[in-house]
Amino acid sequence: MSQDAAGDATTEGDLRNTGMSLKHDREWDYELERIIDEIEEKDAKKVGLQFPEGLKRRGPAVADDLRELAPDDVTFMLSGQPCYGACDLDTFLMRRTDVFVHFGHSPMKNSEKIIYVPLFSNVDVFPMMEDALEELPEDDVGLVTTAQHMNLFPEMKEWLQEKGYEVHTRKGDDRLTNEGQVLGCNYASADIDADQVLYVGGGKFHPLGLAMEHPDKKVVIADPVNNVVTVADTEKFMKQRYGAVHRAMDAEKWGVIFCTKIGQGRWEMAEKIVEENDNAYLITMDEVTPDRLRNFDMDAFVNTGCPRITTDDGPQFHKPMLTPGEYEIAVGHEPLDSLEFDTFHGTW
Amino acid sequence: MSQDAAGDATTEGDLRNTGMSLKHDREWDYELERIIDEIEEKDAKKVGLQFPEGLKRRGPAVADDLRELAPDDVTFMLSGQPCYGACDLDTFLMRRTDVFVHFGHSPMKNSEKIIYVPLFSNVDVFPMMEDALEELPEDDVGLVTTAQHMNLFPEMKEWLQEKGYEVHTRKGDDRLTNEGQVLGCNYASADIDADQVLYVGGGKFHPLGLAMEHPDKKVVIADPVNNVVTVADTEKFMKQRYGAVHRAMDAEKWGVIFCTKIGQGRWEMAEKIVEENDNAYLITMDEVTPDRLRNFDMDAFVNTGCPRITTDDGPQFHKPMLTPGEYEIAVGHEPLDSLEFDTFHGTW
């Protein structure tokens, strides 16, 4: 079991279910010429290719196309590591190849060796934006989207302005590459002066995070991939969070997870918890999965790594798993009403 | 899913099921004094502890004992990575700690920083050896065991000699640390001049590998952990292997798995397959699990990593998974009767 195995789980907002019943087939530009240029310039012999889970099946065809274009002595390798986001950069393969191509996510780590190929969706976003308007009655609106639709962001903004809105956008912080971009763990681009935010993109994973981080705002989802407009509803998630905190209040032995992936290493936070609690034990791992934790005899876990593992996959773990902020509530250091969404800032 | 998730699988010989219904509780000597000496000598501040899956639940108690004995400013970290054998050494945690303790397996990689603590079972092996005698009618017998019982190996040998046997033992090759030791992937210690071999140890994982590697020998299992004597029967496994080879004969697209764990990197082998087959694609990963391969659109896989993933977990993958030797049969380079067990030699 692992985050991978949850394919048949029905968690709302689950990234892995996104697109299971796509209304539109998407096409992608893999920027083969740019990759070949880099291979030739670096005289590369080993080239690594990493695709997000949903596009792994396209990998062999992309490798075929590259093999036709590249010199004969170049070996292409596909990363088989799980890949759901920018933090999942396969650093092992990266270190062992001359050129390493990461498809579909914004940069989390920069290196001479890495080529980031953004995969922009060719889906028309405006019909769903049109449908979303009736859920956006106020004059001011925030606008955010994901890496896949960033290429259309200026057009989306203009379109909303033409409809008469005052459109609020910002770049957010250092962890975000582009204006208006959101990540599963960072919604600083929605720290804007509007009570309603329009999210344009596929699935509910990002807008649910956004709504948890900004509980005071109405988050309207224009999903051009599944052809649907909805309003983010965090009630089920929040009930789960409070439930997990309550169940963890009786815990004696705590496992404190330190995730070794780039972009997730909150060492000081993990160390502080262990220093202050004699019944807390540091556990290090890359993929944080139910099976990896099952053999540890703990009463509860606090995850200093990806907050989405905690909030979205939490119910699949055999013991309560909390974010660091929720841990502080469970052990009585903070009041229950201090509960808020756990976000990451900066890059590592 | 992953090798971890197979806890409820009923694969015979499955390492993970070993000891699920122990007849004897085992006690272990974690050699705390040796670890503390090393911490003090190196003035270590960060200490990593890695336990095999079956002992992970003891980790917190061992950490507690060490915390009492060590200077106050030492932080102990438990590896949460899956650990089934010597190849699973957590190199990430090892690199980031001053002292790294790996419990329960023989060394696969040596480093100033690593302390290997063998965990010798305190179970009495001789009652089951006594019971095994009636399955060993010949005068010559080979003797092998696992790391857990190595401390008793000279006594076992003497005991058999006293019973009148000519006992054949050997160290095997460089991959093996001790005379008479077997690993899941290496049975060179059974390359001896006897038609019957006595395996002393828990579970069927090792003796089944031994019997597959040496199909001409009778492998008798004296299992002092589960209090049982049996004769290794590879028929089910061999049928599965032939079945997988036959199903893979129609495959067009092959995924060639290169495992990135220490001790498993057969790069030349993987590269050769890809060079000779235009429809073969290199896929790199650390944990080789059904879920990680499901998203790759391949007809069959050939695994150059751990042979036990292929033979023991094979049926759990969505497409046939073969060893490199079986691949050569499936693509018609070798005859069907060349099928043999895949073993690893040397260390990396």
Side-chain angles (χ1 to χ4, degrees):
Chain A
M1 187 80 38
S2 69
Q3 51 213 106
D4 335 3
D8 50 354
T10 53
T11 320
E12 223 178 326
D14 192 322
L15 179 61
R16 291 150 290 186
N17 291 334
T18 298
M20 288 303 277
S21 55
L22 294 182
K23 291 291 190 300
H24 297 284
D25 203 16
R26 289 166 291 185
E27 286 174 15
W28 311 100
D29 174 8
Y30 296 100
E31 299 194 40
L32 304 185
E33 291 301 334
R34 179 154 74 99
I35 298 168
I36 294 294
D37 285 352
E38 195 77 5
I39 289 171
E40 289 176 350
E41 192 181 310
K42 292 213 169 111
D43 196 23
K45 301 298 175 216
K46 289 186 181 175
V47 176
L49 307 175
Q50 185 176 26
F51 295 86
E53 263 350 84
L55 289 174
K56 275 202 164 59
R57 60 179 56 248
R58 314 281 182 105
V62 174
D64 279 342
D65 289 346
L66 288 168
R67 288 204 277 208
E68 279 203 10
L69 296 167
D72 273 355
D73 59 348
V74 178
T75 301
F76 290 92
M77 287 177 263
L78 300 166
S79 168
Q81 295 297 103
C83 183
Y84 295 99
C87 294
D88 295 325
L89 189 78
D90 185 346
T91 52
F92 185 99
L93 188 54
M94 186 264 288
R95 282 196 301 269
R96 281 154 187 84
T97 46
D98 306 311
V99 164
F100 182 78
V101 190
H102 185 95
F103 292 93
H105 300 120
S106 297
M108 180 64 71
K109 173 196 175 78
N110 284 308
S111 148
E112 280 280 301
K113 199 187 266 186
I114 310 176
I115 303 176
Y116 287 95
V117 174
L119 296 177
F120 295 124
S121 171
N122 65 339
V123 168
D124 184 2
V125 298
F126 298 104
M128 283 306 109
M129 286 179 68
E130 181 80 46
D131 282 8
L133 295 182
E134 66 183 70
E135 292 287 358
L136 299 165
E138 296 177 24
D139 294 337
D140 292 79
V141 66
L143 175 66
V144 297
T145 187
T146 63
Q148 286 174 19
H149 305 280
M150 278 320 311
N151 57 332
L152 292 181
F153 193 73
E155 274 182 71
M156 294 179 201
K157 187 170 179 176
E158 234 176 78
W159 188 92
L160 284 171
Q161 284 166 335
E162 280 165 18
K163 299 288 176 188
Y165 286 98
E166 177 85 25
V167 186
H168 299 257
T169 63
R170 66 189 292 259
K171 176 168 175 293
D173 65 18
D174 286 349
R175 196 171 175 88
L176 299 160
T177 310
N178 304 293
E179 175 156 336
Q181 185 178 5
V182 290
L183 295 176
C185 57
N186 186 308
Y187 299 93
S189 59
D191 286 339
I192 39 85
D193 194 22
D195 296 331
Q196 55 187 16
V197 179
L198 177 63
Y199 162 86
V200 179
K204 291 186 173 177
F205 176 80
H206 290 98
L208 279 174
L210 202 170
M212 283 191 281
E213 166 74 357
H214 296 282
D216 48 319
K217 295 188 200 298
K218 179 181 187 183
V219 178
V220 179
I221 306 168
D223 182 340
V225 180
N226 301 291
N227 263 14
V228 65
V229 170
T230 50
V231 178
D233 178 5
T234 62
E235 193 190 344
K236 189 180 129 198
F237 267 99
M238 293 312 290
K239 277 187 182 161
Q240 279 174 359
R241 299 322 308 150
Y242 282 109
V245 171
H246 276 107
R247 280 182 292 127
M249 282 177 175
D250 295 328
E252 287 185 14
K253 285 167 73 176
W254 286 88
V256 182
I257 297 163
F258 175 77
C259 178
T260 57
K261 292 193 181 194
I262 62 158
Q264 298 192 13
R266 295 189 286 189
W267 175 253
E268 281 79 21
M269 192 179 265
E271 202 180 26
K272 182 165 176 287
I273 295 171
V274 172
E275 271 172 12
E276 293 178 357
N277 185 340
D278 282 346
N279 291 310
Y281 302 86
L282 257 180
I283 301 174
T284 65
M285 54 179 67
D286 48 12
E287 304 296 325
V288 179
T289 67
D291 270 306
R292 291 190 178 187
L293 294 182
R294 195 163 287 124
N295 285 336
F296 286 101
D297 180 29
M298 299 287 166
D299 301 318
F301 295 92
V302 48
N303 181 16
T304 65
C306 177
R308 301 312 291 264
I309 299 284
T310 313
T311 56
D312 297 50
D313 295 351
Q316 298 173 38
F317 289 82
H318 73 302
K319 291 291 168 66
M321 175 176 284
L322 306 188
T323 64
E326 292 166 348
Y327 164 82
E328 296 296 334
I329 296 169
V331 295
H333 295 169
E334 298 290 338
L336 191 59
D337 65 9
S338 71
L339 192 143
E340 58 182 32
F341 189 61
D342 183 28
T343 57
F344 271 70
H345 299 277
T347 56
W348 288 266
Chain B
M1 187 81 37
S2 71
Q3 52 213 103
D4 335 3
D8 50 353
T10 55
T11 320
E12 222 177 324
D14 191 323
L15 179 62
R16 291 151 290 186
N17 291 334
T18 300
M20 288 303 278
S21 55
L22 294 183
K23 291 291 189 301
H24 297 284
D25 203 13
R26 290 166 290 186
E27 285 175 14
W28 312 100
D29 174 8
Y30 296 100
E31 299 193 40
L32 304 185
E33 291 301 335
R34 180 154 73 99
I35 298 168
I36 293 294
D37 286 351
E38 193 78 6
I39 289 170
E40 288 176 350
E41 192 181 310
K42 292 213 167 110
D43 194 24
K45 301 298 174 217
K46 288 186 183 177
V47 176
L49 307 175
Q50 186 176 26
F51 294 88
E53 264 349 85
L55 289 175
K56 275 202 163 62
R57 60 179 55 247
R58 314 281 182 105
V62 175
D64 279 343
D65 290 345
L66 288 169
R67 288 202 278 206
E68 281 205 7
L69 298 167
D72 272 355
D73 60 349
V74 179
T75 301
F76 290 93
M77 288 178 261
L78 300 166
S79 168
Q81 296 295 105
C83 183
Y84 295 98
C87 294
D88 295 325
L89 188 79
D90 186 346
T91 52
F92 185 99
L93 187 54
M94 187 262 290
R95 283 195 301 267
R96 281 157 188 83
T97 46
D98 306 311
V99 164
F100 182 77
V101 190
H102 185 96
F103 292 93
H105 300 121
S106 297
M108 180 62 72
K109 173 196 175 80
N110 284 307
S111 147
E112 280 280 302
K113 198 185 268 185
I114 311 177
I115 303 177
Y116 286 94
V117 174
L119 297 177
F120 295 124
S121 172
N122 65 340
V123 168
D124 183 2
V125 298
F126 298 105
M128 284 305 109
M129 285 178 70
E130 182 80 45
D131 282 7
L133 296 182
E134 65 181 71
E135 292 286 359
L136 299 165
E138 296 176 25
D139 294 337
D140 292 80
V141 66
L143 175 65
V144 297
T145 187
T146 63
Q148 284 174 19
H149 305 281
M150 277 321 311
N151 57 330
L152 292 180
F153 192 73
E155 275 182 70
M156 294 180 202
K157 188 171 177 175
E158 236 176 77
W159 188 92
L160 284 172
Q161 284 166 338
E162 279 165 18
K163 298 289 175 189
Y165 286 97
E166 176 85 25
V167 186
H168 300 256
T169 62
R170 66 189 292 259
K171 177 169 176 290
D173 65 18
D174 286 349
R175 196 172 177 88
L176 298 160
T177 309
N178 304 294
E179 174 155 336
Q181 185 179 4
V182 289
L183 295 176
C185 57
N186 187 307
Y187 300 93
S189 59
D191 286 339
I192 39 86
D193 194 23
D195 295 331
Q196 53 186 16
V197 180
L198 176 62
Y199 163 86
V200 180
K204 291 187 174 176
F205 177 79
H206 291 98
L208 279 173
L210 202 170
M212 283 192 280
E213 167 73 356
H214 296 283
D216 49 318
K217 296 190 199 298
K218 179 181 185 183
V219 178
V220 179
I221 306 168
D223 181 341
V225 180
N226 302 291
N227 263 15
V228 65
V229 170
T230 49
V231 177
D233 178 5
T234 61
E235 192 190 343
K236 189 180 131 197
F237 266 101
M238 293 312 291
K239 276 188 182 160
Q240 278 175 0
R241 299 324 307 149
Y242 282 109
V245 171
H246 276 108
R247 279 183 292 125
M249 282 178 176
D250 296 328
E252 287 185 15
K253 286 167 74 178
W254 286 87
V256 182
I257 297 163
F258 176 76
C259 178
T260 57
K261 293 191 179 191
I262 62 156
Q264 298 192 13
R266 296 190 285 190
W267 175 252
E268 282 79 20
M269 191 179 265
E271 201 180 27
K272 183 166 173 286
I273 295 170
V274 173
E275 272 171 13
E276 292 177 358
N277 185 340
D278 282 348
N279 292 311
Y281 302 86
L282 258 179
I283 301 173
T284 66
M285 55 180 67
D286 49 11
E287 304 296 325
V288 180
T289 66
D291 269 306
R292 291 189 178 187
L293 294 183
R294 196 164 288 125
N295 285 336
F296 286 102
D297 179 28
M298 298 288 165
D299 300 318
F301 294 94
V302 48
N303 180 15
T304 66
C306 177
R308 301 311 291 264
I309 300 284
T310 314
T311 57
D312 298 48
D313 295 351
Q316 297 174 37
F317 289 83
H318 74 303
K319 291 291 167 67
M321 175 175 286
L322 306 187
T323 65
E326 292 166 349
Y327 165 81
E328 295 296 332
I329 296 169
V331 296
H333 295 169
E334 298 290 340
L336 191 58
D337 64 9
S338 72
L339 192 145
E340 59 181 29
F341 190 60
D342 183 29
T343 57
F344 271 70
H345 299 278
T347 54
W348 287 266

